[in-house]
Amino acid sequence: MEVIRAADYDELSVCAAEMIIQTLKSKNDAVLGLATGSTPIGTYKRLIEAYRQGRVSFAAAKSINLDEYVGLGENDPNSYRRFMNDMFFNNIDIDVRNTYVPDGLNKNIQQECMRYDMLYKRLGGADIQLLGIGVNAHIGFNEPADKLVAATHVVKLSQSTRMANSRNFASAQAVPEYAVTLGMAGILKAKKIVLLASGEAKREAVAKAVYGDIDTHAPASFLQLHDNVTVICDFCLAK
Ligand code: PGA
């Protein structure tokens, strides 16, 4: 794994945005694997800026997101579909019909997982996959557990994740209990993976991902199995 130490959050965001721009320059119809959370917001801002400056176009691109809360849809301000529309898609020239986020409102959620896996397969996986990381070393919503699931699946969110994600909700209890997430197989199918981590609170999780044993209790450690992963962090990752 390549580790890039950025001076600060802004440099981290520029660095990630430039990697996505490079991907689109070499393949204008690239499939972008995208992530939600606070960490990639700066990257999206930089990409919007580059689009406005005429440096990049997303017109032929497709995107596929990692996850969505079960029970939340586009009309809910806390859904990941809404996050992506507001933070990114509505500000660039991507055709929103080519942007995919699991449908958290599908009444048959198991069927939704299968549909999403088939869709991912049809798209050929992501050319570049952006990832955040949880303080518990989750990626997407693949939470630490005795077993990890390869396919897209429904996951019960850990208390620590619901707490971390409660920022925009009334309380941690108001955060949905379940989410749909791309599994480890989907994530590892991406041609290139860029993991972003900002702030000292993520140091331990990133250290486990980069130097730790491959362990289902630190899902990000499975990234060691992939041969094209870049970690960009704005702290020193001393071994
Ligand atoms: P964050 O979330 O970017 O809001 O810290 C990361 C994650 O949980 O994957």
Side-chain angles (χ1 to χ4, degrees), residues 133-138 160 164 201-202 204-205 208:
I133 183 168
V135 287
N136 64 2
H138 74 210
S160 96
K202 297 285 176 73
E204 204 182 317
K208 282 183 186 166

Side-chain angles (χ1 to χ4, degrees), residues 23-77:
T23 302
L24 285 166
K25 281 207 189 309
S26 58
K27 187 180 179 192
N28 71 343
D29 61 348
V31 176
L32 309 177
L34 300 178
T36 50
S38 55
T39 313
I41 290 176
T43 305
Y44 297 142
K45 282 191 179 143
R46 289 295 184 166
L47 287 171
I48 293 165
E49 226 172 77
Y51 160 68
R52 289 187 178 146
Q53 291 162 353
R55 289 183 54 222
V56 66
S57 169
F58 300 86
K62 297 185 182 69
S63 74
I64 185 149
N65 263 77
L66 288 166
D67 44 23
E68 178 62 284
Y69 291 115
V70 171
L72 302 194
E74 186 172 354
N75 292 333
D76 192 301

Side-chain angles (χ1 to χ4, degrees), residues 84-137:
M84 291 308 301
N85 287 353
D86 291 351
M87 294 289 175
F88 195 36
F89 301 146
N90 289 345
N91 304 295
I92 54 170
D93 61 346
I94 200 163
D95 182 340
V96 82
R97 289 169 303 186
N98 290 332
T99 69
Y100 303 100
V101 179
D103 178 5
L105 293 180
N106 190 329
K107 289 277 172 270
N108 188 337
I109 208 71
Q110 298 303 338
Q111 193 184 70
E112 176 60 16
C113 293
M114 284 193 288
R115 184 191 73 87
Y116 210 67
D117 263 346
M118 268 153 53
L119 172 70
Y120 195 78
K121 217 177 200 169
R122 206 173 69 228
L123 292 174
D127 289 291
I128 184 164
Q129 175 69 58
L130 212 53
L131 290 180
I133 183 168
V135 287
N136 64 2

